Amino acid sequence: MKLVDGKVTVITGAALGIGAGIADMFAEQGAILYLLDIDGAKCEEKAAELRSKGYPAKAFRADVSDPAQLREPFETALKDHGRLEVVINNAGIYPRRAFMDMTEAEWDQMQDVNLKSLFHICKLALPPMMAQRSGKIVNISSVTFFKGMALLSHYVATKGGMIGFSRSLAREMGPYNIHINTVTPGAIKTEGEVVHADPAAIAEIQRRQCLDRRLYPADIAGVCLFLSSALSDGMTGQTLNVDGGLILY
Ligand SMILES: NC(=O)c1ccc[n+]([C@@H]2O[C@H](COP(=O)([O-])OP(=O)(O)OC[C@H]3O[C@@H](n4cnc5c(N)ncnc54)[C@H](O)[C@@H]3O)[C@@H](O)[C@H]2O)c1
């Protein structure tokens, strides 16, 4: 049996990297996909690739920091199916910046894209989930919250905020049978990592992991799949760390 068969699923930041990996695995496992990304062309490419394999997928250009742009994918999913089962909040940015060089605008942009987006998205996702008395929300945070990371103070602040938000919302939404969990990826080989991360630092991270290999989007997608399926029906408010054994807690 497919793990998310027929589940209406919204994935943010789905054009590339971890989000695209989640889209691939969820498609194979039967999800009906609504993919959104600030890069509308790349997002459409991903959806078209999935449709060419026979999987239902629609693409939307939307900036997660702009509530007006977020309405269309959610409204379309509800118009098409009258329900919304899964939301994966994956879109995020991670440009490095020394704190003393960081501008207020850079701090605010990080908060708006990585954290405040959850406010906008949950406002759209929760009403149908509350009405149907079921739903799964998975938020993609980062292992950097547990370690701290130089040059990423603005980023790590958002990733910790996501965990606090998820835990608190899980308490509010439990009575509606809505599950809200967080995944903290370690160093995952993605398009974004190639742009922003130092290869020597990545090699050092791999050396410190228990598992002596790179991690890929599919490693994160598998845990998101578990958290979106009935296999995790007894879990909410939890944080699952997927970092190859970099930190153990
Ligand atoms: N790659 C890693 O090592 C790693 C580690 C820990 C956490 N994460 C988290 O995983 C998530 C995905 O990371 P990734 O490495 O796949 O990144 P990526 O840069 O490879 O892909 C991110 C996707 O999100 C989209 N996006 C960016 N800003 C957006 C916005 N405002 N609105 C909508 N879409 C937007 C991009 O266009 C892109 O398609 C992020 O939240 C990131 O913080 C990544």
PDB file of all heavy atoms in Angstrom, residues 209-237:
ATOM      1  N   GLN A 209      30.164  12.877  11.288  1.00  0.00           N
ATOM      2  CA  GLN A 209      28.929  12.080  11.328  1.00  0.00           C
ATOM      3  C   GLN A 209      29.260  10.634  11.730  1.00  0.00           C
ATOM      4  O   GLN A 209      30.376  10.162  11.486  1.00  0.00           O
ATOM      5  CB  GLN A 209      28.279  12.014   9.940  1.00  0.00           C
ATOM      6  CG  GLN A 209      27.722  13.318   9.437  1.00  0.00           C
ATOM      7  CD  GLN A 209      27.229  13.262   7.998  1.00  0.00           C
ATOM      8  OE1 GLN A 209      26.847  14.273   7.447  1.00  0.00           O
ATOM      9  NE2 GLN A 209      27.255  12.090   7.364  1.00  0.00           N
ATOM     10  N   CYS A 210      28.267   9.915  12.303  1.00  0.00           N
ATOM     11  CA  CYS A 210      28.439   8.466  12.488  1.00  0.00           C
ATOM     12  C   CYS A 210      28.494   7.771  11.134  1.00  0.00           C
ATOM     13  O   CYS A 210      29.314   6.877  10.916  1.00  0.00           O
ATOM     14  CB  CYS A 210      27.259   7.888  13.270  1.00  0.00           C
ATOM     15  SG  CYS A 210      27.075   8.522  14.937  1.00  0.00           S
ATOM     16  N   LEU A 211      27.595   8.176  10.228  1.00  0.00           N
ATOM     17  CA  LEU A 211      27.541   7.550   8.902  1.00  0.00           C
ATOM     18  C   LEU A 211      28.551   8.232   7.986  1.00  0.00           C
ATOM     19  O   LEU A 211      28.505   9.458   7.827  1.00  0.00           O
ATOM     20  CB  LEU A 211      26.136   7.689   8.292  1.00  0.00           C
ATOM     21  CG  LEU A 211      24.990   7.104   9.136  1.00  0.00           C
ATOM     22  CD1 LEU A 211      23.652   7.365   8.448  1.00  0.00           C
ATOM     23  CD2 LEU A 211      25.187   5.604   9.348  1.00  0.00           C
ATOM     24  N   ASP A 212      29.409   7.447   7.357  1.00  0.00           N
ATOM     25  CA  ASP A 212      30.454   8.031   6.518  1.00  0.00           C
ATOM     26  C   ASP A 212      29.962   8.166   5.074  1.00  0.00           C
ATOM     27  O   ASP A 212      30.433   7.474   4.175  1.00  0.00           O
ATOM     28  CB  ASP A 212      31.709   7.161   6.579  1.00  0.00           C
ATOM     29  CG  ASP A 212      32.861   7.814   5.807  1.00  0.00           C
ATOM     30  OD1 ASP A 212      32.797   9.040   5.567  1.00  0.00           O
ATOM     31  OD2 ASP A 212      33.793   7.082   5.435  1.00  0.00           O
ATOM     32  N   ARG A 213      28.978   9.042   4.878  1.00  0.00           N
ATOM     33  CA  ARG A 213      28.493   9.320   3.527  1.00  0.00           C
ATOM     34  C   ARG A 213      27.778  10.651   3.516  1.00  0.00           C
ATOM     35  O   ARG A 213      27.371  11.144   4.565  1.00  0.00           O
ATOM     36  CB  ARG A 213      27.556   8.205   3.032  1.00  0.00           C
ATOM     37  CG  ARG A 213      26.201   8.143   3.766  1.00  0.00           C
ATOM     38  CD  ARG A 213      25.224   7.288   2.980  1.00  0.00           C
ATOM     39  NE  ARG A 213      23.933   7.064   3.617  1.00  0.00           N
ATOM     40  CZ  ARG A 213      22.879   7.875   3.500  1.00  0.00           C
ATOM     41  NH1 ARG A 213      22.946   9.000   2.797  1.00  0.00           N
ATOM     42  NH2 ARG A 213      21.726   7.574   4.091  1.00  0.00           N
ATOM     43  N   ARG A 214      27.627  11.228   2.332  1.00  0.00           N
ATOM     44  CA  ARG A 214      26.794  12.420   2.185  1.00  0.00           C
ATOM     45  C   ARG A 214      25.335  12.039   2.371  1.00  0.00           C
ATOM     46  O   ARG A 214      24.926  10.924   2.063  1.00  0.00           O
ATOM     47  CB  ARG A 214      26.962  13.058   0.793  1.00  0.00           C
ATOM     48  CG  ARG A 214      28.284  13.719   0.487  1.00  0.00           C
ATOM     49  CD  ARG A 214      28.718  14.761   1.512  1.00  0.00           C
ATOM     50  NE  ARG A 214      27.677  15.674   2.002  1.00  0.00           N
ATOM     51  CZ  ARG A 214      27.317  16.814   1.430  1.00  0.00           C
ATOM     52  NH1 ARG A 214      27.916  17.233   0.333  1.00  0.00           N
ATOM     53  NH2 ARG A 214      26.385  17.577   1.958  1.00  0.00           N
ATOM     54  N   LEU A 215      24.529  13.006   2.828  1.00  0.00           N
ATOM     55  CA  LEU A 215      23.081  12.822   2.891  1.00  0.00           C
ATOM     56  C   LEU A 215      22.452  13.555   1.719  1.00  0.00           C
ATOM     57  O   LEU A 215      22.982  14.592   1.270  1.00  0.00           O
ATOM     58  CB  LEU A 215      22.534  13.368   4.206  1.00  0.00           C
ATOM     59  CG  LEU A 215      23.034  12.668   5.477  1.00  0.00           C
ATOM     60  CD1 LEU A 215      22.480  13.357   6.709  1.00  0.00           C
ATOM     61  CD2 LEU A 215      22.660  11.198   5.492  1.00  0.00           C
ATOM     62  N   TYR A 216      21.333  13.030   1.238  1.00  0.00           N
ATOM     63  CA  TYR A 216      20.668  13.539   0.033  1.00  0.00           C
ATOM     64  C   TYR A 216      19.205  13.896   0.349  1.00  0.00           C
ATOM     65  O   TYR A 216      18.682  13.462   1.385  1.00  0.00           O
ATOM     66  CB  TYR A 216      20.751  12.480  -1.072  1.00  0.00           C
ATOM     67  CG  TYR A 216      22.173  12.241  -1.509  1.00  0.00           C
ATOM     68  CD1 TYR A 216      22.936  11.235  -0.927  1.00  0.00           C
ATOM     69  CD2 TYR A 216      22.782  13.070  -2.446  1.00  0.00           C
ATOM     70  CE1 TYR A 216      24.270  11.046  -1.290  1.00  0.00           C
ATOM     71  CE2 TYR A 216      24.108  12.893  -2.820  1.00  0.00           C
ATOM     72  CZ  TYR A 216      24.837  11.884  -2.232  1.00  0.00           C
ATOM     73  OH  TYR A 216      26.149  11.719  -2.580  1.00  0.00           O
ATOM     74  N   PRO A 217      18.556  14.648  -0.556  1.00  0.00           N
ATOM     75  CA  PRO A 217      17.149  14.987  -0.313  1.00  0.00           C
ATOM     76  C   PRO A 217      16.269  13.777   0.020  1.00  0.00           C
ATOM     77  O   PRO A 217      15.364  13.878   0.851  1.00  0.00           O
ATOM     78  CB  PRO A 217      16.736  15.661  -1.631  1.00  0.00           C
ATOM     79  CG  PRO A 217      17.995  16.369  -2.066  1.00  0.00           C
ATOM     80  CD  PRO A 217      19.097  15.389  -1.719  1.00  0.00           C
ATOM     81  N   ALA A 218      16.547  12.622  -0.588  1.00  0.00           N
ATOM     82  CA  ALA A 218      15.716  11.434  -0.313  1.00  0.00           C
ATOM     83  C   ALA A 218      15.802  11.024   1.160  1.00  0.00           C
ATOM     84  O   ALA A 218      14.841  10.458   1.710  1.00  0.00           O
ATOM     85  CB  ALA A 218      16.147  10.266  -1.208  1.00  0.00           C
ATOM     86  N   ASP A 219      16.942  11.324   1.815  1.00  0.00           N
ATOM     87  CA  ASP A 219      17.058  10.980   3.239  1.00  0.00           C
ATOM     88  C   ASP A 219      16.068  11.787   4.068  1.00  0.00           C
ATOM     89  O   ASP A 219      15.534  11.293   5.073  1.00  0.00           O
ATOM     90  CB  ASP A 219      18.493  11.253   3.729  1.00  0.00           C
ATOM     91  CG  ASP A 219      19.493  10.281   3.123  1.00  0.00           C
ATOM     92  OD1 ASP A 219      19.297   9.064   3.282  1.00  0.00           O
ATOM     93  OD2 ASP A 219      20.457  10.745   2.481  1.00  0.00           O
ATOM     94  N   ILE A 220      15.840  13.029   3.670  1.00  0.00           N
ATOM     95  CA  ILE A 220      14.874  13.882   4.377  1.00  0.00           C
ATOM     96  C   ILE A 220      13.453  13.515   3.946  1.00  0.00           C
ATOM     97  O   ILE A 220      12.528  13.458   4.763  1.00  0.00           O
ATOM     98  CB  ILE A 220      15.151  15.377   4.079  1.00  0.00           C
ATOM     99  CG1 ILE A 220      16.601  15.727   4.448  1.00  0.00           C
ATOM    100  CG2 ILE A 220      14.160  16.272   4.825  1.00  0.00           C
ATOM    101  CD1 ILE A 220      16.984  15.424   5.875  1.00  0.00           C
ATOM    102  N   ALA A 221      13.288  13.237   2.654  1.00  0.00           N
ATOM    103  CA  ALA A 221      11.955  12.916   2.127  1.00  0.00           C
ATOM    104  C   ALA A 221      11.362  11.699   2.835  1.00  0.00           C
ATOM    105  O   ALA A 221      10.164  11.669   3.149  1.00  0.00           O
ATOM    106  CB  ALA A 221      12.037  12.676   0.622  1.00  0.00           C
ATOM    107  N   GLY A 222      12.196  10.691   3.118  1.00  0.00           N
ATOM    108  CA  GLY A 222      11.690   9.472   3.762  1.00  0.00           C
ATOM    109  C   GLY A 222      11.101   9.766   5.135  1.00  0.00           C
ATOM    110  O   GLY A 222      10.053   9.220   5.515  1.00  0.00           O
ATOM    111  N   VAL A 223      11.747  10.663   5.879  1.00  0.00           N
ATOM    112  CA  VAL A 223      11.259  10.992   7.223  1.00  0.00           C
ATOM    113  C   VAL A 223       9.995  11.863   7.119  1.00  0.00           C
ATOM    114  O   VAL A 223       9.055  11.702   7.895  1.00  0.00           O
ATOM    115  CB  VAL A 223      12.377  11.657   8.051  1.00  0.00           C
ATOM    116  CG1 VAL A 223      11.867  12.062   9.424  1.00  0.00           C
ATOM    117  CG2 VAL A 223      13.548  10.680   8.193  1.00  0.00           C
ATOM    118  N   CYS A 224       9.966  12.754   6.126  1.00  0.00           N
ATOM    119  CA  CYS A 224       8.736  13.552   5.896  1.00  0.00           C
ATOM    120  C   CYS A 224       7.570  12.636   5.530  1.00  0.00           C
ATOM    121  O   CYS A 224       6.427  12.867   5.956  1.00  0.00           O
ATOM    122  CB  CYS A 224       8.961  14.565   4.766  1.00  0.00           C
ATOM    123  SG  CYS A 224      10.088  15.884   5.206  1.00  0.00           S
ATOM    124  N   LEU A 225       7.877  11.601   4.748  1.00  0.00           N
ATOM    125  CA  LEU A 225       6.838  10.648   4.349  1.00  0.00           C
ATOM    126  C   LEU A 225       6.270   9.939   5.583  1.00  0.00           C
ATOM    127  O   LEU A 225       5.048   9.846   5.756  1.00  0.00           O
ATOM    128  CB  LEU A 225       7.453   9.636   3.372  1.00  0.00           C
ATOM    129  CG  LEU A 225       6.517   8.618   2.750  1.00  0.00           C
ATOM    130  CD1 LEU A 225       5.465   9.286   1.892  1.00  0.00           C
ATOM    131  CD2 LEU A 225       7.331   7.612   1.923  1.00  0.00           C
ATOM    132  N   PHE A 226       7.150   9.484   6.439  1.00  0.00           N
ATOM    133  CA  PHE A 226       6.733   8.838   7.695  1.00  0.00           C
ATOM    134  C   PHE A 226       5.838   9.795   8.502  1.00  0.00           C
ATOM    135  O   PHE A 226       4.761   9.414   8.971  1.00  0.00           O
ATOM    136  CB  PHE A 226       7.990   8.450   8.478  1.00  0.00           C
ATOM    137  CG  PHE A 226       7.757   8.126   9.925  1.00  0.00           C
ATOM    138  CD1 PHE A 226       7.055   6.987  10.295  1.00  0.00           C
ATOM    139  CD2 PHE A 226       8.249   8.963  10.924  1.00  0.00           C
ATOM    140  CE1 PHE A 226       6.846   6.689  11.640  1.00  0.00           C
ATOM    141  CE2 PHE A 226       8.040   8.667  12.263  1.00  0.00           C
ATOM    142  CZ  PHE A 226       7.336   7.530  12.627  1.00  0.00           C
ATOM    143  N   LEU A 227       6.277  11.067   8.611  1.00  0.00           N
ATOM    144  CA  LEU A 227       5.533  12.033   9.433  1.00  0.00           C
ATOM    145  C   LEU A 227       4.218  12.471   8.772  1.00  0.00           C
ATOM    146  O   LEU A 227       3.387  13.101   9.426  1.00  0.00           O
ATOM    147  CB  LEU A 227       6.397  13.260   9.727  1.00  0.00           C
ATOM    148  CG  LEU A 227       7.550  13.026  10.704  1.00  0.00           C
ATOM    149  CD1 LEU A 227       8.425  14.280  10.803  1.00  0.00           C
ATOM    150  CD2 LEU A 227       7.037  12.622  12.094  1.00  0.00           C
ATOM    151  N   SER A 228       4.056  12.175   7.489  1.00  0.00           N
ATOM    152  CA  SER A 228       2.830  12.545   6.769  1.00  0.00           C
ATOM    153  C   SER A 228       1.881  11.362   6.633  1.00  0.00           C
ATOM    154  O   SER A 228       0.777  11.518   6.114  1.00  0.00           O
ATOM    155  CB  SER A 228       3.186  13.053   5.364  1.00  0.00           C
ATOM    156  OG  SER A 228       4.054  14.158   5.458  1.00  0.00           O
ATOM    157  N   SER A 229       2.315  10.196   7.061  1.00  0.00           N
ATOM    158  CA  SER A 229       1.524   8.980   6.864  1.00  0.00           C
ATOM    159  C   SER A 229       0.914   8.521   8.184  1.00  0.00           C
ATOM    160  O   SER A 229       1.262   9.018   9.260  1.00  0.00           O
ATOM    161  CB  SER A 229       2.419   7.871   6.311  1.00  0.00           C
ATOM    162  OG  SER A 229       3.210   7.324   7.360  1.00  0.00           O
ATOM    163  N   ALA A 230       0.058   7.523   8.076  1.00  0.00           N
ATOM    164  CA  ALA A 230      -0.587   6.965   9.275  1.00  0.00           C
ATOM    165  C   ALA A 230       0.427   6.290  10.193  1.00  0.00           C
ATOM    166  O   ALA A 230       0.133   6.048  11.371  1.00  0.00           O
ATOM    167  CB  ALA A 230      -1.664   5.973   8.853  1.00  0.00           C
ATOM    168  N   LEU A 231       1.628   5.977   9.683  1.00  0.00           N
ATOM    169  CA  LEU A 231       2.645   5.325  10.521  1.00  0.00           C
ATOM    170  C   LEU A 231       3.016   6.183  11.728  1.00  0.00           C
ATOM    171  O   LEU A 231       3.493   5.667  12.730  1.00  0.00           O
ATOM    172  CB  LEU A 231       3.916   5.045   9.705  1.00  0.00           C
ATOM    173  CG  LEU A 231       3.802   4.013   8.588  1.00  0.00           C
ATOM    174  CD1 LEU A 231       5.117   3.914   7.827  1.00  0.00           C
ATOM    175  CD2 LEU A 231       3.413   2.650   9.160  1.00  0.00           C
ATOM    176  N   SER A 232       2.824   7.518  11.617  1.00  0.00           N
ATOM    177  CA  SER A 232       3.214   8.417  12.721  1.00  0.00           C
ATOM    178  C   SER A 232       1.992   9.009  13.424  1.00  0.00           C
ATOM    179  O   SER A 232       2.091  10.072  14.029  1.00  0.00           O
ATOM    180  CB  SER A 232       4.113   9.538  12.183  1.00  0.00           C
ATOM    181  OG  SER A 232       3.422  10.290  11.200  1.00  0.00           O
ATOM    182  N   ASP A 233       0.847   8.324  13.357  1.00  0.00           N
ATOM    183  CA  ASP A 233      -0.389   8.894  13.921  1.00  0.00           C
ATOM    184  C   ASP A 233      -0.309   9.160  15.429  1.00  0.00           C
ATOM    185  O   ASP A 233      -1.079   9.965  15.951  1.00  0.00           O
ATOM    186  CB  ASP A 233      -1.591   7.984  13.625  1.00  0.00           C
ATOM    187  CG  ASP A 233      -2.217   8.298  12.264  1.00  0.00           C
ATOM    188  OD1 ASP A 233      -1.784   9.283  11.620  1.00  0.00           O
ATOM    189  OD2 ASP A 233      -3.126   7.554  11.848  1.00  0.00           O
ATOM    190  N   GLY A 234       0.613   8.514  16.105  1.00  0.00           N
ATOM    191  CA  GLY A 234       0.736   8.749  17.554  1.00  0.00           C
ATOM    192  C   GLY A 234       1.718   9.850  17.911  1.00  0.00           C
ATOM    193  O   GLY A 234       1.997  10.072  19.090  1.00  0.00           O
ATOM    194  N   MET A 235       2.252  10.546  16.900  1.00  0.00           N
ATOM    195  CA  MET A 235       3.296  11.549  17.174  1.00  0.00           C
ATOM    196  C   MET A 235       2.842  12.946  16.803  1.00  0.00           C
ATOM    197  O   MET A 235       2.318  13.153  15.715  1.00  0.00           O
ATOM    198  CB  MET A 235       4.536  11.270  16.289  1.00  0.00           C
ATOM    199  CG  MET A 235       5.317  10.050  16.674  1.00  0.00           C
ATOM    200  SD  MET A 235       6.653   9.800  15.482  1.00  0.00           S
ATOM    201  CE  MET A 235       7.601  11.293  15.705  1.00  0.00           C
ATOM    202  N   THR A 236       3.093  13.900  17.671  1.00  0.00           N
ATOM    203  CA  THR A 236       2.970  15.308  17.280  1.00  0.00           C
ATOM    204  C   THR A 236       3.855  16.158  18.187  1.00  0.00           C
ATOM    205  O   THR A 236       4.238  15.725  19.278  1.00  0.00           O
ATOM    206  CB  THR A 236       1.502  15.789  17.292  1.00  0.00           C
ATOM    207  OG1 THR A 236       1.440  17.079  16.646  1.00  0.00           O
ATOM    208  CG2 THR A 236       0.957  15.907  18.712  1.00  0.00           C
ATOM    209  N   GLY A 237       4.229  17.317  17.692  1.00  0.00           N
ATOM    210  CA  GLY A 237       5.079  18.226  18.467  1.00  0.00           C
ATOM    211  C   GLY A 237       6.521  17.756  18.573  1.00  0.00           C
ATOM    212  O   GLY A 237       7.287  18.297  19.367  1.00  0.00           O
TER     213      GLY A 237
END
